[in-house]
Amino acid sequence: VDWTLRDILDGLTCCPKLGQLSIRPLPGQTVDEKPLTALSLPLLTVLEVSGSPTSCARLLEMLALPPFVVITMDIIHTDDEIEMQHVLAVNLQAHYKRGKAQLMRSLACPTVNHSTRGGAVLFNAYADERTYHLEDFSDHAHLLSLWTYPQIPEALQRVVEILFPVLPFSDISFLD
């Protein structure tokens, strides 16, 4: 099925009381797609998406999310596409600056093996102050979860350089 981000937005306009949204995978964006108007989903508590950094960023750009929404993003990319995460970083930063998001106090950054994409680095941020272990992740609600797939150390370093300055990590007191 060929569908676009515009199709998603059109469908979501019919769901103003939506509480949870999961889209895996997001469609790629066509170059000639017209600008989209941001859609407010004031009751959304969970947003789960997977796709390219550009698709994830574009979805964030077109949704006006409440500050309390829990975001999980599986950012599918190659090492050559790392720089495309700048657009995603800008849109994540805009989301967190818009409202009074819950403070992130703990950050867990394990490496995990994804069954189809290989090695991944997971950034999970939590509201409470404690360390988390990989087996704890399913038992505790995170505020933000980003999956990224850098295959070489330089790519991982670049992901950190792009994402960390724009995310609200200044109150992190536990890093695992």
Side-chain angles (χ1 to χ4, degrees):
V1 175
D2 288 335
W3 51 301
T4 66
L5 291 173
R6 181 172 299 286
D7 296 330
I8 292 171
L9 184 63
D10 289 345
L12 291 175
T13 58
C14 300
C15 308
K17 296 181 181 179
L18 189 65
Q20 296 186 5
L21 176 61
S22 179
I23 306 172
R24 297 172 185 264
L26 283 170
Q29 179 161 342
T30 58
V31 176
D32 61 344
E33 194 165 334
K34 296 176 185 169
L36 302 171
T37 304
L39 173 68
S40 178
L41 294 174
L43 302 178
L44 196 70
T45 58
V46 175
L47 174 64
E48 297 177 349
V49 296
S50 70
S52 72
T54 305
S55 292
C56 291
R58 190 70 170 124
L59 182 69
L60 274 180
E61 182 181 356
M62 68 184 215
L63 294 178
L65 300 172
F68 52 80
V69 69
V70 172
I71 299 173
T72 299
M73 289 191 166
D74 188 355
I75 308 163
I76 303 165
H77 62 84
T78 66
D79 286 339
D80 294 337
E81 298 170 321
I82 293 294
E83 294 304 319
M84 292 169 44
Q85 294 198 34
H86 276 289
V87 177
L88 176 61
V90 166
N91 284 299
L92 280 168
Q93 182 180 38
H95 163 69
Y96 286 111
K97 283 187 172 183
R98 225 177 273 133
K100 296 187 182 286
Q102 194 169 359
L103 292 179
M104 296 177 184
R105 301 275 190 192
S106 302
L107 181 65
C109 305
T111 56
V112 294
N113 191 30
H114 189 281
S115 60
T116 60
R117 290 190 282 279
V121 177
L122 175 60
F123 299 100
N124 267 9
Y126 300 90
D128 55 341
E129 294 181 330
R130 62 168 281 218
T131 56
Y132 284 85
H133 301 285
L134 191 55
E135 60 272 5
D136 292 337
F137 291 161
S138 62
D139 297 332
H140 295 87
H142 57 270
L143 300 175
L144 173 69
S145 182
L146 297 175
W147 290 70
T148 185
Y149 301 89
Q151 298 302 309
I152 58 175
E154 294 82 8
L156 174 58
Q157 179 180 343
R158 193 65 191 127
V159 167
V160 170
E161 289 171 353
I162 292 169
L163 293 175
F164 274 44
V166 301
L167 293 175
F169 289 161
S170 61
D171 292 303
I172 298 285
S173 56
F174 285 81
L175 178 62
D176 187 12

